[in-house]
Amino acid sequence: MEGGKPSLPMVYQAVQALYHDPDPSGKERASLWLGELQRSMYAWEISDQLLQLKQDVESCYFAAQTMKMKIQTSFYELPPDTHNALRDSLLTHIQNLKDMSPIVITQLALAIADLALQMASWKGCVHTLIEKYSNDISSMPFLIEILTVLPEEVHSRSLRIGANRRTEIIEDLAFYSSTVVTLLTTCVEKTGNDEKMLIKVFRCLGSWFNLGILDSNFMASNQLLMVLFQVLQRDETSTNLHEASSDCVCSALYAIENVDTNMPLAMQLFQGVLTLETAYHMAVAREDLDKVLNYCRIFTELCETFLETTVRIPGQGMGDLRTLELLLICAGHPQYEVVEISFNFWYRLGEHLYKINDVALNSIFRPYIQRLLHCLARHCQLDPDHEGIPEETDDFGEFRIRVSDLVRDVIFLVGSMECFAQLYSTLKEGNPPWEVTEAVLFIMAAISKSVDPENNPTLTEVLQQVVLLPENVHIAVRYTSIELVGEMSEVVDRNPRFLDPVLNYLMKGLREKPLASAAAKAIHNICSVCRDHMAQHFQGLLEIARSLDSFALSTEAAVGLLKGTALVLARLPLEKIAECLSDLCAVQVLALKKLLAEQSTNGKSADPTVWLDRLAVIFRHTNPIVENGQTHPCQKVIQEIWPVLSQTLNTHQADNRIVERCCRCLRFAVRCVGKGSASLLQPLVTQMVSVYQVYPHSCFLYLGSILVDEYGMEEGCRQGLLDMLQALCMPTFQLLEQPNGLRNHPDTVDDLFRLATRFVQRSPVTLLSSSIIVHIIQCAIAATSLDHRDANCSVMKFVRDLIHSGVANDHEEDFEVRKRLIGQAMEQHGQQLVTQLMHSCCFCLPAYTLPDVAEVLWEVMVFDRPTFCRWLENALKGLPKETSGGAVTVTHKQLTDFHKQVTSAEECKQVCWAIREFTRLFR
C-alpha cells in the first residue's frame, strides 16, 4: 500500500464508510481502499488487532474475512515459524467472539479450517480441537462450526494444497470421524430439543457425509440417524430445522451411491425415507410448500441413489418400485416446482433403459412413464384466465421448455406414435377447454419429430385439422398450433399437397402481431426441410422479405425468415440465382445507402447492424451447387454490394460492435463465393490494415484468417497475405504487451492465433520463413498460461499444428524445408515451451484444457523424442517440491514416474492421463 501501514482508526473509518456511507461513491472508494489493504502485507497484523478490539460486528466481520482470504490466497507470505502463533491467535479470537454474530464465527471457522489444511505441522487438528473445547457447552457452537467447514474446505478451489496433502488430510479426518459423530450425538443428548443446536449438528453431519469418509456400519446403528428421521416425521418441525435435516439425509444418500459396499446404512436410509410418505401428505394438507419441496428432494435423491438397483432388480428388495411411486405422488402436486426437482432422475432412468435396450425391462417401467407424461401435460396447462400467447422467458415458460426436453428423452419407453395418437384422440373425441387443448398441442410438438413421418395417416390428419383451426380459438392455442406445424415440416415434405394450406395458415399468423415471430420460425423450418418443394414459392418468400418490417417480428425471427428464403434461393436454377439474390439483398443495401446519405448530410450516425446481420444471413445460406469452371452466380452481386459495405465500415470504424457485424457480413460473402471474391482481396486487405492501425478490433484478425483459408494455397496471393499478417501483428503485439494485455484482450489472442493457424495449415513454409514467426511463437508461449477457454484453445491449436507441420505429409515436396524450419524453431524455443506448459498446467490452467496441453507435448515428443525427454526433465526440476505450509507437494518418485509415463507413451491419451494425475499434486 502506498504511504505505508495505515492506522487502525483509518481502517475502522473505511469499514464504517463501506457499510454506512449514504453516498454510493463514498462506499465505492472505501471498498477499493479496503481491497488494496487486504492485498497488502499489513492486512495480517491489522486484522488481528481489529479482532482484539471487538469494536462492532462490521469491523470484526471485515477482519475475520480478511484473515480467511489471506490464509487462502497469501499463506506463502508468512514465515513457517509464525504458523503456530497464527493458529493460537485465531483460536483465541473465535473463543472471545463466540457470542458475537454467527457470520463472524463462520469466517473465523473458515480461516482456522484453511490454516489446518495448509499447516502440515498441525497434526491431528480434529483431536486437538475436540479435546480443547468439547467439555465447555458454550464453546460447542463454534467447535461444531469449525468441524462443519473443515470437510467442506478439503476440496475448495481457493486452496491449492495438492493431492498428496489432500490424501493425508482425508485419511486423518477419516480416522477421527467416529469421534466427531460421537461428539455430535452427545451434544444432541445434552441439549435435547434445542433447535439451533440440532440445525448445527445436522449441518455438520451432512458435511462429513459429503466428504464420503464416515464408516457406514458405524452410522447404520447410530442414534443420530434415528433422530434425523424423527425430526422429519414430526409435523411441528420448524422450516429451518426441516431444511437442515433434509439436506443431511440427501448428503447421506449421495454418500452411499455405491449401495453394495454400504449395505447396512443403505438399508436404514431406504427404510427411513419410505416412512416419510405420511409426513409428505401432511405437509401438502397444510400447504407448506417448503416442506413439500424438501420431501421431494429426499425422494428424488433416494431414487437417484438406488437407480442401478431399481433397474437391475425392479420390484425386489431395494429395487422396490415404491420409490417411483413416491416421485409420482410428488408429480401430482399442483405446484410445478415440485415435479421439476425429479427431472434429472427421470432423464437418467431413461438413459439407463435406453442403453440396456431390453423390451421386457422397458415394459416394467412404461406405466410409470405414462403416468409421468400425464402429470407433465397437466402441469404445462396455462391458467384458464391467461390472456395472450404463452410467455417463454418467465419461470413457467422455462419450465415448459424443460418439460419438452424431458418428454423427448423418455418418449421411447412409451412409443412416440402411440403417445402422439393418444394425445390427438383426447382432442378429437372430447371437447376440452382451451388450456387443455393448448397443453396437449405443446406436448405433441415436443414429440412430433420422433414420430416416423413415412405413410402416417395420423400425422397427416393432425396437420389437416390444425390448419383448419378457426381464428376465434384462444390465441395461445393458435400460437402453439403454429409451433406444432413448424415441428411437422418433415410431414409436409413427404406430403407436398399440404404445402399450400400450411403456408396460407402460417401467412395468417405472420400478419398478426402476437403470432408473427412463431409463424416466421415455422416458415423458416418448412424452408429448411422442404427446400425443393418451396422453390415454386420463392416469389412469395421474396415478397415477405421485401416487406419484412411491416410484420411485428423479433430480430431472431426476421433473420430466420431470411435464412429460409436463402436456403430456397440456393435451389433455384443457376441462371436465376444472381437476379433473385440481388432482389433479396436490395432492401438491405438501400437501407444502408440511406443511412450513409443521412450521415453525410446531418452528421448523425444510425445503427446499421440490423441490415448487416440480414445480409450476413443471406450470404451464409445461399450455397448453390456450382460445377468447376462455372462462374459463381453470387459473385456479381457481392461485387456490387462491396462499396456500400466498405463505406459503412469506414464510417463506423471506431465502433467495435458495428465493425464486428461488417466483418461478419464480409466473412460470409467471401465464404459464399470462395475464390470468386478475388477482385475484393486487394481493396479489402488494404482497408482492414489501415483501420486496424488506428482501431485494433480483433474481428479483422478473424476476417484475415478467412482470407488465408480461402486464398492461402494460391501461389500469387501468399506474399500479399503474409504482408497482411505482418501489418496486423504490429499493433496486436503492442496491445498484448501492455500490463495484463493477454488477460484483458482474450478475443485478440483467440483471433490472432486462429489467423496464424490458418497460415500453418494453408502455407506453412511462407510463415516459417518469415521474420514474424519468432515473435508469434514467443507470444504463443506467453499465452499458454491464459485461463480463457477460447483463447487458450486457439493458442494450443496453433502450437500443435505448427510442430505437426514438421512431420505431416512427408510425401510433399516442401517436407524437408518444413522439417528443417520446425527443427530450428524448436531448437530456439523448445525448452522454454515445455517449461512454460508444465508450469501453466500445474498452476494456471483449469482441468478441461489439459487434453490440449497433452496434444502439444505429444507433438513435441513425436518430432524429437530424445531432446523432449531432456526438456521435460529440466522443466520438472524447476517445479516446487513443498507447499508454504511445509507439506510435500511432489516426491522424487512421483516426478520420475511422471517423466517415464510421458516419455514412454505410445499414444496421446496416455500423455493426457499422466498430466491429469500429475497436476492434481499441485491443485
Side-chain angles (χ1 to χ4, degrees), residues 463-494:
L463 202 52
Q464 241 170 334
Q465 292 305 313
V466 167
V467 299
L468 293 174
L469 274 176
E471 285 181 36
N472 62 354
V473 296
H474 194 291
I475 196 149
V477 174
R478 289 181 62 202
Y479 180 89
T480 305
S481 70
I482 287 171
E483 289 195 320
L484 173 60
V485 171
E487 291 294 315
M488 293 178 75
S489 43
E490 296 271 354
V491 184
V492 180
D493 192 43
R494 302 288 202 293

Side-chain angles (χ1 to χ4, degrees), residues 368-399:
Y368 293 94
I369 300 296
Q370 281 170 331
R371 285 162 62 194
L372 173 70
L373 292 176
H374 185 75
C375 289
L376 292 176
R378 199 181 65 253
H379 279 298
C380 283
Q381 289 174 20
L382 298 161
D383 286 334
D385 56 359
H386 177 92
E387 291 179 4
I389 61 170
E391 280 291 331
E392 287 187 359
T393 50
D394 62 3
D395 289 346
F396 185 56
E398 285 176 5
F399 166 75

Side-chain angles (χ1 to χ4, degrees), residues 791-862:
N792 193 281
C793 182
S794 218
V795 171
M796 296 296 178
K797 183 168 171 46
F798 163 71
V799 181
R800 185 188 73 206
D801 286 8
L802 183 76
I803 301 164
H804 187 68
S805 69
V807 292
N809 302 326
D810 53 5
H811 57 281
E812 290 178 4
E813 57 188 51
D814 67 350
F815 173 66
E816 288 304 327
V817 182
R818 275 188 279 126
K819 188 177 172 184
R820 176 174 55 77
L821 291 168
I822 290 294
Q824 288 169 3
M826 292 310 292
E827 204 175 310
Q828 205 177 343
H829 307 286
Q831 179 67 72
Q832 190 193 354
L833 171 67
V834 174
T835 303
Q836 179 71 18
L837 282 172
M838 285 314 303
H839 184 271
S840 296
C841 61
C842 288
F843 301 109
C844 311
L845 298 178
Y848 67 76
T849 60
L850 296 182
D852 294 342
V853 176
E855 285 185 8
V856 175
L857 292 174
W858 172 255
E859 289 298 343
V860 179
M861 188 159 68
V862 168

Side-chain angles (χ1 to χ4, degrees), residues 902-921:
V902 173
T903 53
S904 63
E906 287 175 12
E907 50 184 344
C908 183
K909 65 180 174 191
Q910 293 170 318
V911 177
C912 186
W913 289 333
I915 290 178
R916 261 188 214 287
E917 284 308 307
F918 184 72
T919 53
R920 284 190 183 127
L921 300 170

Side-chain angles (χ1 to χ4, degrees), residues 6 42 91 114 131 170 224 280 323 359 432 455 467 539 557 641 717:
Y42 306 120
L91 291 173
D114 291 339
E131 210 165 52
I170 289 172
L224 274 183
Y280 168 82
T323 54
V359 177
N455 304 322
V467 299
Q539 277 315 116
I641 292 174
C717 299

